[in-house]
Amino acid sequence: MRLFWFALLLALGLGFAQPLTLGEQYLLRGYTGNAMGKVWANNLRFEGLEVLTNNSSICASLSGAAIASYLEARPNAQVATAALSSADDVLRLVSFRLPALALLFGGQTDAATNNALVKAVLAEAAQRNYGGAIFIHVRTWGLGSVGLAAREDANIRRYLSAKNNLFAVLVDGNAGEVRVAQVRINATTGEQEVAQVLGSQKMSETWLALFRRSL
């Protein structure tokens, strides 16, 4: 019993966080999605977009919050969304006809599946020479999915390294800030790079606490 209380006090003293419940996962995506929708509407001024996710419930909550926030600011914008289960879904479900693509891959889906979905989307975008903006969610960028696809596929690397409308939202947990950035892919190495930070937003205490516990 003494060992139990000692471990509990040690955990509290060191600030060990409890894992997020599923409901808290949804709440975190509500905060994040709300911010992303405002970035799409106000910072990046997308006139319309196609939002792509995997088929997990957490990614669904994120995309729903982001789209709702975006449409609140731009109620007449055209929006499409697709939940992809496999690379084959890209040709079947994604039109590549709207002014921007948003890649929101994370949630409960494993890294290998997310990487494969991102690569399939980018390969088709490269094949079509899709000229619209591509927006990358913080989890997708942090996972390194875009750079991995560029290193594995020379056509993707050439395509992305030439784009000046590649964007991502990044979170600095230490500063408690969400930042929207223009990003790029190195033409030689395929590595992900931040070209410039375009704007930032302070996170609320609840949002920041949820984010830190999710790490």
Side-chain angles (χ1 to χ4, degrees):
M1 179 63 90
R2 287 181 180 177
L3 183 59
F4 167 80
W5 286 110
F6 175 77
L8 178 60
L9 290 171
L10 181 62
L12 292 173
L14 293 178
F16 290 172
Q18 293 296 313
L20 296 183
T21 65
L22 184 57
E24 288 173 324
Q25 294 278 9
Y26 294 155
L27 181 58
L28 172 58
R29 272 58 182 196
Y31 279 109
T32 306
N34 179 56
M36 286 201 310
K38 291 175 180 176
V39 164
W40 296 342
N42 302 322
N43 297 77
L44 301 178
R45 300 184 178 277
F46 292 158
E47 297 297 330
L49 78 162
E50 197 161 14
V51 181
L52 309 181
T53 74
N54 56 42
N55 62 1
S56 73
S57 62
I58 288 178
C59 276
S61 66
L62 174 67
S63 64
I67 290 169
S69 176
Y70 173 73
L71 287 175
E72 183 178 14
R74 292 180 178 263
N76 297 316
Q78 188 175 357
V79 178
T81 186
L84 309 178
S85 299
S86 70
D88 293 338
D89 287 340
V90 174
L91 286 176
R92 188 169 62 87
L93 299 176
V94 186
S95 74
F96 296 95
R97 292 175 183 164
L98 296 183
L101 279 176
L103 277 56
L104 315 185
F105 294 96
Q108 303 104 311
T109 304
D110 62 274
T113 300
N114 282 326
N115 287 339
L117 292 173
V118 170
K119 184 176 180 180
V121 171
L122 294 176
E124 186 60 25
Q127 178 67 28
R128 294 169 179 246
N129 196 28
Y130 172 73
I134 297 179
F135 174 90
I136 304 155
H137 173 43
V138 59
R139 296 280 185 183
T140 309
W141 184 258
L143 189 64
S145 302
V146 178
L148 179 62
R151 292 191 298 275
E152 291 181 346
D153 187 317
N155 195 36
I156 292 175
R157 184 167 66 252
R158 283 192 296 269
Y159 167 70
L160 291 180
S161 64
K163 285 187 77 65
N164 60 6
N165 54 355
L166 192 63
F167 304 100
V169 156
L170 313 173
V171 176
D172 184 335
N174 292 326
E177 285 187 350
V178 170
R179 297 166 183 160
V180 57
Q182 181 183 355
V183 296
R184 62 192 175 205
I185 291 298
N186 187 289
T188 303
T189 65
E191 294 296 327
Q192 299 179 172
E193 300 174 347
V194 174
Q196 61 176 324
V197 174
L198 303 175
S200 64
Q201 174 187 337
K202 278 291 184 183
M203 302 170 75
S204 69
E205 291 184 7
T206 301
W207 182 12
L208 181 57
L210 289 169
F211 174 78
R212 286 174 172 166
R213 285 175 55 200
S214 73
L215 298 176

